[in-house]
Amino acid sequence: MRLARAQALAGALALLLCAASPAASGEPARVVLVRPGAADPSISEALIRIRGELVADGFDVEVLDAQSASAPRPTMDDAGQQAGSAALIGLFLAPDGQAAELWVVDPRTHETLVRRIDTRGEAREHIVEVLAVRAVELLRASLLELLMSSQRAPAPAPAAAPPPSKVSEQVPRQAEQPRVHASRRSTWGVELGGGLLASPGGIGPALLLVARLRFAPIGPLEARLSFAGLGTAPRVVGPQGSATVQQRFGLVELAALPWPELRLRPRFSVGLGALHVAVDGEASWPYRGVHSAQWAFAADAGAGVELGIVRRLHVVAEAHALVAHPYPVVRFVETEAARGARPALLGSLSLVGWL
């Protein structure tokens, strides 16, 4: 859903700007974000996030600082004289601090749309995120509306004075405003990395490949299909010989991100699955080494942190504790040399790409 909205925003803005300046259609579309003089910190940070959304979609975005903290109308008029043919976007905080106004100006017809963003009832620490997310949603609708209006209206003559600005203000009801608290760009993600698996006091450490498929239908919750294996085989040495141990496991996990609005956010997970252990033994005469393999039920609990690097790429570091039943045991004759997954500890570092 987020990807489709971003594509719609990109398409509407590109068509609008191409209609305004056909000669520049081969270059990145130019957009000017107007920052009011002495702007509230929440407005400045929200504009930075909006700029990031537009830059990620391939637009040439410029931030223009207004010379004074005047009302929105004169501020946008002054900015229009400096911006030329670029589309103008402004975000202004209401005097009571309970709402903000998003201004969008069509550079071709000078038509202006004003949309109100109500922030009453929102926690102060979420104001910036609410402003940025709702502004992008309303920006998409405003650009589409301006595009349709500009296609219906004939282009003004070059020598004619610009027509008077028309302002249409729409105040969406609070019940209809979207509330999005996750920064994720898609519900599907692919994760790939490496991990170190060890059983304290038992089977030694092994480097494993870690791969996961993610599905995140709800902001703070996600399901994962995880696999770890195809790595090194630690050696266990006993009085009658030695053995190499190969380990791999697969899990179905449920993960929670209790603070999805943070850039560096903690995550917690639980999972169930299966552990496979294969042992290749080498014995001293008169004993004989054997190969054996065992499947076991596995349960896992983990915690970690996830850091967003760019729009669709995150880094994840996690620590897991995995237990198996029955747990694997390496024996030489009747002597137990090592045991595993009681519990086994896994530390992993991986990259996540959101599709």
Side-chain angles (χ1 to χ4, degrees):
M1 180 65 71
R2 293 281 306 219
L3 179 59
R5 289 176 178 175
Q7 291 174 339
L9 171 61
L13 189 54
L15 289 173
L16 180 63
L17 293 176
C18 286
S21 181
S25 60
E27 301 177 356
R30 182 166 171 258
V31 183
V32 173
L33 295 179
V34 180
R35 180 161 51 198
D40 186 271
S42 60
I43 293 293
S44 298
E45 189 170 345
L47 286 173
I48 291 174
R49 294 196 182 192
I50 295 171
R51 180 182 182 276
E53 293 278 350
L54 296 174
V55 170
D57 287 322
F59 298 109
D60 179 11
V61 183
E62 176 185 347
V63 177
L64 178 63
D65 289 317
Q67 297 180 356
S68 64
S70 57
R73 162 70 72 180
T75 298
M76 295 299 287
D77 288 344
D78 292 343
Q81 297 177 2
Q82 302 178 53
S85 62
L88 284 178
I89 299 171
L91 189 62
F92 302 88
L93 190 65
D96 59 4
Q98 299 295 313
E101 289 183 350
L102 177 71
W103 286 59
V104 183
V105 180
D106 183 342
R108 181 167 176 255
T109 65
H110 299 280
E111 182 176 359
T112 303
L113 290 179
V114 180
R115 302 296 178 99
R116 183 180 177 85
I117 303 174
D118 199 333
T119 58
R120 287 177 296 180
E122 298 290 346
R124 185 170 184 83
E125 61 269 20
H126 295 159
I127 291 295
V128 172
E129 179 193 1
V130 170
L131 285 176
V133 171
R134 294 184 187 172
V136 170
E137 295 286 346
L138 293 176
L139 179 59
R140 170 176 168 265
S142 301
L143 290 172
L144 289 174
E145 184 174 335
L146 286 175
L147 175 61
M148 295 175 63
S149 175
S150 65
Q151 289 178 337
R152 291 194 301 264
S165 300
K166 298 180 291 181
V167 179
S168 60
E169 181 171 359
Q170 300 182 14
V171 182
R173 292 176 297 178
Q174 187 168 357
E176 297 176 344
Q177 294 175 348
R179 294 178 179 268
V180 181
H181 294 288
S183 61
R184 196 162 287 129
R185 300 294 184 257
S186 171
T187 57
W188 291 96
V190 176
E191 181 176 343
L192 190 64
L196 183 66
L197 179 70
S199 297
I203 300 173
L207 291 173
L208 303 180
L209 170 71
V210 176
R212 296 184 176 103
L213 177 64
R214 294 190 177 198
F215 176 60
I218 304 175
L221 295 176
E222 69 179 36
R224 302 193 304 189
L225 184 62
S226 302
F227 169 81
L230 304 178
T232 61
R235 180 174 293 274
V236 176
V237 178
Q240 293 86 17
S242 64
T244 56
V245 183
Q246 288 277 359
Q247 303 169 88
R248 57 184 176 178
F249 61 87
L251 298 169
V252 176
E253 297 179 274
L254 181 64
L257 290 82
W259 298 282
E261 71 278 0
L262 300 178
R263 186 181 179 192
L264 178 63
R265 48 187 177 269
R267 54 181 303 114
F268 307 92
S269 64
V270 292
L272 298 174
L275 170 69
H276 182 263
V277 178
V279 178
D280 288 301
E282 299 177 0
S284 303
W285 190 88
Y287 302 103
R288 179 174 58 88
V290 297
H291 169 83
S292 63
Q294 173 184 318
W295 284 95
F297 170 79
D300 173 272
V305 292
E306 182 169 336
L307 173 65
I309 303 178
V310 294
R311 186 184 177 198
R312 298 182 185 176
L313 189 64
H314 294 182
V315 174
V316 182
E318 295 184 6
H320 291 258
L322 181 143
V323 295
H325 180 77
Y327 58 87
V329 177
V330 180
R331 288 189 175 92
F332 296 95
V333 190
E334 297 299 327
T335 303
E336 180 179 308
R339 62 178 61 179
R342 199 182 178 189
L345 303 180
L346 173 70
S348 65
L349 181 65
S350 54
L351 289 175
V352 182
W354 292 98
L355 306 179

